[in-house]
């Protein structure tokens, strides 16, 4: 059993912990998280948890803390990252690393600062819940393993990738892991308060496509076999956003859940999208942000992001390169098939080099643990709707999944319907309501007490 926790610890207060974490500038790059991580290590050690610092880079250490359980269930993994994305060039209304408490205009308060949502606030929820169980000497059914990692915002090389490659034994026996939701959320014009339970995420497949053709004088109309005409065909083919849409089981369940709780045009749109994900009129009936989300999760998506070529305005280039940010739907889908399908879409064979290929995620799990997460949200907020979701980005879940651990993204926040906070990660004026953090800490505490 863990040693008794000190009652004066900062991590007893989810609000103050969030503010302290934000005040550590852990911008990545360079991603120097050591001071933040060591402060949290001391807090968790004093709370009675066993802690271990694991690092291949002294400026970017990882922390693993363990709350011993009763041995009646497999270990449960909670994972969070301490690094944050840059704020340079963003028009912040307040200092980005102040952790200011600011009135929200509705009688409550918000904590402002980079990392409030992604993901120092959620990390504070986890540590507050662990502190409560430790201080009350009520061990959970199984060990709870908290992995606090660095470098998530820059590829996880020094963070979860290093930790799981060099020390997988720290997670032996774990069956489930909970991390961030990766910005998953729905607007729905404020008609419904949605609680995402992320069961799937897309994986990156970044390509560099090289287009070649005869050079020539810029005054003459380019021939069909020139690089510039091939570029035009490529960009035109990708304009809808990627390959043709399909409805995966996750999106089908999401649309079904929304249809059952919505009314009017929004409900009809969900029903129509379930039958035909390319239904443009149905997408237009949804808020723009939601339509963008659904366009992204029903296809292997592609965005041209970097173009290079040409040496002079009046010379047709012989070679143009285009970098493509591809995001693949869950399930087995090799990059060779991706390039082949893109080639068929464009109408000519693509000379494509794979720049980045993310880890393949397993099929989503809708088992008893998913029902536990959804049930806690339904119990704590009867007016909200827990729904399964796919995140369009990738998180450290892709790495924990390689150990055979079933991963979920779960950031329980009690927010007004249609509130913007879930979309504020990586943006200026990132902030989170105080009451939302307290709600999340309570949800995590309930999970640690009831999971089996």
């Amino acid at each position: 059993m863990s040693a008794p926790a000190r009652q004066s610890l900062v991590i007893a207060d989810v609000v103050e912990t969030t503010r302290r974490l934000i005040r550590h500038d852990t911008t990545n790059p360079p991603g120097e998280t050591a001071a933040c991580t060591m402060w949290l290590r001391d807090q968790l050690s004093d709370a009675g948890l066993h802690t271990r610092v694991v690092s291949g880079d002294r400026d970017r250490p990882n922390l693993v803390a363990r709350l011993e359980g009763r041995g009646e269930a497999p270990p449960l993994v909670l994972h969070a990252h301490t690094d944050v994305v840059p704020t340079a060039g963003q028009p912040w209304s307040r200092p980005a690393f102040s952790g200011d408490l600011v009135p929200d205009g509705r009688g409550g308060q918000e904590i402002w600062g980079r990392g409030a949502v992604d993901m120092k606030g959620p990390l504070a929820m986890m540590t507050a819940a662990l502190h409560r169980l430790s201080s009350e000497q009520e061990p959970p059914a199984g060990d709870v393993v908290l992995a606090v990692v660095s470098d998530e915002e820059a590829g996880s090389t020094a963070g979860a990738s290093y930790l799981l490659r060099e020390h997988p034994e720290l997670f032996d026996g774990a069956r489930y892991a909970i991390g961030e939701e990766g910005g998953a959320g729905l607007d729905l014009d404020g008609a419904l308060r949605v609680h995402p339970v992320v069961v799937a995420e897309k994986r990156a497949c970044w390509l560099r496509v090289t287009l070649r053709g005869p050079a020539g004088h810029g005054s003459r109309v380019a021939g069909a076999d020139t690089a510039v005409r091939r570029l035009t065909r490529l960009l035109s083919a990708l304009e809808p956003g990627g390959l043709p849409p399909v409805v995966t089981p996750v999106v089908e369940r999401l649309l079904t859940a929304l249809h059952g709780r919505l009314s009017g045009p929004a409900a009809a749109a969900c029903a129509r999208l379930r039958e035909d994900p390319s239904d443009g009129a149905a997408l237009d009936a949804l808020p723009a942000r939601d339509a963008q989300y659904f366009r992204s999760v029903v296809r292997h998506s592609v965005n041209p992001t970097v173009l290079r070529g040409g040496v002079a305005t009046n010379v047709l280039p012989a070679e143009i390169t285009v970098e493509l940010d591809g995001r693949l739907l869950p399930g087995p889908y090799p990059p060779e098939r991706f390039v082949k399908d893109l080639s068929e879409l464009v109408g000519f064979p693509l000379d494509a080099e794979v720049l980045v290929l993310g880890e393949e995620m397993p099929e989503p799990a809708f088992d008893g643990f998913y029902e536990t997460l959804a049930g806690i949200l339904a119990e704590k907020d009867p007016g909200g709707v827990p729904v399964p979701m796919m995140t369009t980005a990738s998180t450290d879940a892709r790495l924990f999944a390689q150990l055979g651990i079933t991963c979920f993204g779960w950031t329980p926040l009690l927010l007004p319907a249609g509130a913007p906070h879930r979309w504020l990660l990586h943006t200026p004026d990132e902030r989170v309501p105080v009451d939302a953090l307290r709600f999340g800490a309570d949800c995590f505490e309930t999970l640690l007490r009831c999971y089996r």
Side-chain angles (χ1 to χ4, degrees), residues 85-167:
V85 297
T87 60
Q90 294 185 344
W92 281 73
S93 303
R94 294 176 175 274
F97 297 99
S98 65
D100 284 347
L101 274 175
V102 181
D104 62 6
R106 298 184 301 273
Q109 291 181 308
E110 296 174 322
I111 302 175
W112 284 53
R114 174 61 85 227
V117 178
D118 184 21
M119 69 170 300
K120 291 177 176 178
L123 172 56
M125 296 176 194
M126 297 174 182
T127 59
L130 285 166
H131 174 270
R132 292 175 192 177
L133 267 69
S134 180
S135 64
E136 295 173 11
Q137 292 289 284
E138 293 187 15
D143 290 3
V144 180
V145 182
L146 173 65
V148 183
V149 299
S150 63
D151 203 33
E152 192 274 345
E153 299 291 5
S156 305
T157 301
S161 182
Y162 173 86
L163 176 63
L164 296 171
R165 182 181 66 253
E166 299 297 328
H167 297 281

Side-chain angles (χ1 to χ4, degrees), residues 291-309:
Q292 182 184 27
Y293 170 77
F294 281 113
R295 286 189 176 96
S296 301
V297 297
V298 296
R299 55 169 47 88
H300 302 295
S301 58
V302 187
N303 280 312
T305 53
V306 180
L307 284 76
R308 296 186 178 93

Side-chain angles (χ1 to χ4, degrees), residues 36 55 61 134 136 160 167 189 207 231 290 318 448-449:
C36 182
S55 175
S134 180
E136 295 173 11
H167 297 281
D189 280 336
L207 305 175
L231 173 64
D290 296 341
L448 299 188
R449 293 186 188 278

Side-chain angles (χ1 to χ4, degrees), residues 152 180-184 198-206 240-246 248 250-251 291-303 325-333 338 356-364 389-399 401-402 407 409:
E152 192 274 345
E180 64 178 305
E181 63 189 23
V198 174
V199 297
E201 60 181 47
K202 301 179 81 173
R203 64 169 175 150
C205 184
W206 296 355
L243 295 176
V246 295
T248 62
V250 175
V251 174
Q292 182 184 27
Y293 170 77
F294 281 113
R295 286 189 176 96
S296 301
V297 297
V298 296
R299 55 169 47 88
H300 302 295
S301 58
V302 187
N303 280 312
D325 184 339
R327 303 285 171 152
L328 308 183
L329 295 170
Y333 188 67
F338 185 40
V356 172
L357 181 63
E359 289 77 6
E360 183 177 322
M361 294 290 288
E363 292 297 322
M389 291 189 70
M390 180 191 307
T391 176
T392 60
S394 60
T395 73
D396 280 337
R398 75 190 194 281
L399 299 168
Q402 305 310 303
C407 297

Side-chain angles (χ1 to χ4, degrees), residues 33-34 36 38 83 117 191 215 242 264 271 284-285 292 313 339 379 397 419 436 449:
T33 57
C36 182
M38 296 309 177
D83 63 318
V117 178
D284 290 342
Q292 182 184 27
T313 304
V339 172
E379 174 190 349
R449 293 186 188 278

Side-chain angles (χ1 to χ4, degrees), residues 418-451:
H421 300 84
R422 292 188 187 277
W423 298 283
L424 293 179
L425 67 170
H426 297 200
T427 71
D429 292 348
E430 182 180 353
R431 59 196 184 274
V432 65
V434 164
D435 288 343
L437 289 175
R438 290 173 176 151
F439 173 85
D442 288 344
C443 287
F444 270 105
E445 179 185 0
T446 299
L447 172 65
L448 299 188
R449 293 186 188 278
C450 75
Y451 93 92

